[in-house]
Amino acid sequence: GAIGAFGLKEVLDKIFDGIADAEERSANYNASDSLVYVENLRMMYGGGNLLLTNTTLELKKGHRYGVVGRNGAGKTTLMNTIASGGISQIPKSVKTLHVRPEILIAASDLTATQFCKKDSSTDVSEESLQKALDTVGFPKDMQSKMVSELSGGWRMKLLLASAMMRECDVLLLDEPTNHLDVESVKWLSEYLCNLTETSLMVISHNPTFLNIVCTDIIQYTVDRKLKYYPGNFDAFVAQNPEAFTAEIGRASCR
């Protein structure tokens, strides 16, 4: 269910209670935790526009990465390329899922349960469907509602339930807090922080959300590399004071 009417400090304390700090996570790093490790990554866009060159993409199990960089740097393009299988060095055995709210537009005439079954393997059981919906707090009386009737918060829960049924290794979220109310953002933050077997990549202009959720930050640098920082968004900004204005854009942060 929802976290409840906690202030920000209480929410942060609740979520981070018992989570090892960044230095301890780094010290305990095990190479077997890497779900994705791609060296010498090069990524182009459109008519030969170079976005990344000779860089490394690494995603570890249980880590939640906030992807930051200037507008137009290629954050969403990287996410789309991973999701579409466009990076050949990522093994086919690694299952990725891009949670995109816009896919619900084409499914507006389906019920919540019909949407979850859509594009799923034919052997998905009713039990696994109900387990996924229960886990995200999607009650039975909501499951027969049409997708078009659902608010932003319920739509996000439906998308995550659908993702759970696919048991993905890498979960990709692009601006997931858009159109969510405060309670839905709190719920989403707690849900993501409880993922232990999955690697998460998230793009967001919401610094508070990145602070709660992220264990690591991936920065698109001006020389078209991916640079990794342990810790949340505040830890990243402490090491890069200019990044909040130059790379994230104070005006676009909400």
Side-chain angles (χ1 to χ4, degrees):
I3 293 175
F6 292 105
L8 177 59
K9 182 180 185 303
E10 287 80 1
V11 173
L12 290 171
D13 289 345
K14 176 180 174 65
I15 290 175
F16 283 111
D17 181 40
I19 298 179
D21 63 30
E23 290 184 0
E24 184 177 343
R25 284 196 304 270
S26 179
N28 293 334
Y29 168 65
N30 187 319
S32 63
D33 290 339
S34 283
L35 291 169
V36 172
Y37 189 82
V38 177
E39 293 182 297
N40 303 316
L41 176 64
R42 179 182 173 91
M43 191 171 72
M44 309 287 288
Y45 178 73
N49 184 25
L50 184 64
L51 297 176
L52 290 171
T53 181
N54 192 30
T55 194
T56 298
L57 173 65
E58 182 174 24
L59 303 174
K60 301 174 187 175
K61 182 192 302 183
H63 285 240
R64 300 180 297 276
Y65 300 89
V67 186
V68 303
R70 303 175 315 283
N71 288 337
K75 302 184 295 294
T76 295
T77 301
L78 175 60
M79 203 168 273
N80 289 337
T81 304
I82 294 172
S84 66
I87 300 178
S88 59
Q89 299 96 318
I90 297 178
K92 299 298 183 186
S93 59
V94 175
K95 292 194 288 185
T96 64
L97 187 65
H98 196 180
V99 176
R100 295 173 298 153
E102 60 267 26
I103 68 173
L104 288 171
I105 296 174
S108 60
D109 59 342
L110 300 177
T111 66
T113 51
Q114 287 173 336
F115 172 78
C116 281
K117 292 177 180 179
K118 183 177 180 289
D119 298 329
S120 295
S121 58
T122 54
D123 59 352
V124 169
S125 67
E126 192 67 27
E127 182 182 3
S128 65
L129 170 62
Q130 287 303 319
K131 181 180 178 182
L133 290 168
D134 289 344
T135 299
V136 300
F138 207 101
K140 287 190 179 296
D141 63 347
M142 294 284 293
Q143 294 174 19
S144 59
K145 285 186 175 293
M146 307 299 287
V147 168
S148 58
E149 299 178 74
L150 301 177
S151 67
W154 287 114
R155 289 186 179 200
M156 180 56 67
K157 289 187 177 186
L158 186 62
L159 287 166
L160 290 171
S162 180
M164 286 180 60
M165 291 172 60
R166 290 159 174 76
E167 298 181 339
C168 64
D169 299 302
V170 177
L171 184 62
L172 308 166
L173 300 178
D174 194 344
E175 298 290 356
T177 63
N178 283 1
H179 312 300
L180 298 188
D181 59 27
V182 173
E183 286 301 313
S184 295
V185 173
K186 289 178 180 177
W187 176 87
L188 177 62
S189 300
E190 185 178 57
Y191 175 84
L192 296 175
C193 285
N194 285 324
L195 297 177
T196 57
E197 298 300 311
T198 303
S199 179
L200 169 70
M201 282 184 72
V202 58
I203 298 169
S204 177
H205 282 98
N206 186 330
T208 302
F209 176 73
L210 293 177
N211 274 333
I212 295 172
V213 170
C214 295
T215 61
D216 305 81
I217 297 293
I218 301 176
Q219 179 194 26
Y220 264 74
T221 66
V222 293
D223 58 347
R224 299 181 177 85
K225 311 289 185 188
L226 298 177
K227 189 172 182 179
Y228 297 78
Y229 295 83
N232 64 8
F233 184 71
D234 276 351
F236 164 72
V237 172
Q239 298 177 71
N240 301 270
E242 78 290 348
F244 188 62
T245 52
E247 301 242 0
I248 307 303
R250 184 180 297 274
S252 62
C253 285
R254 303 184 281 280

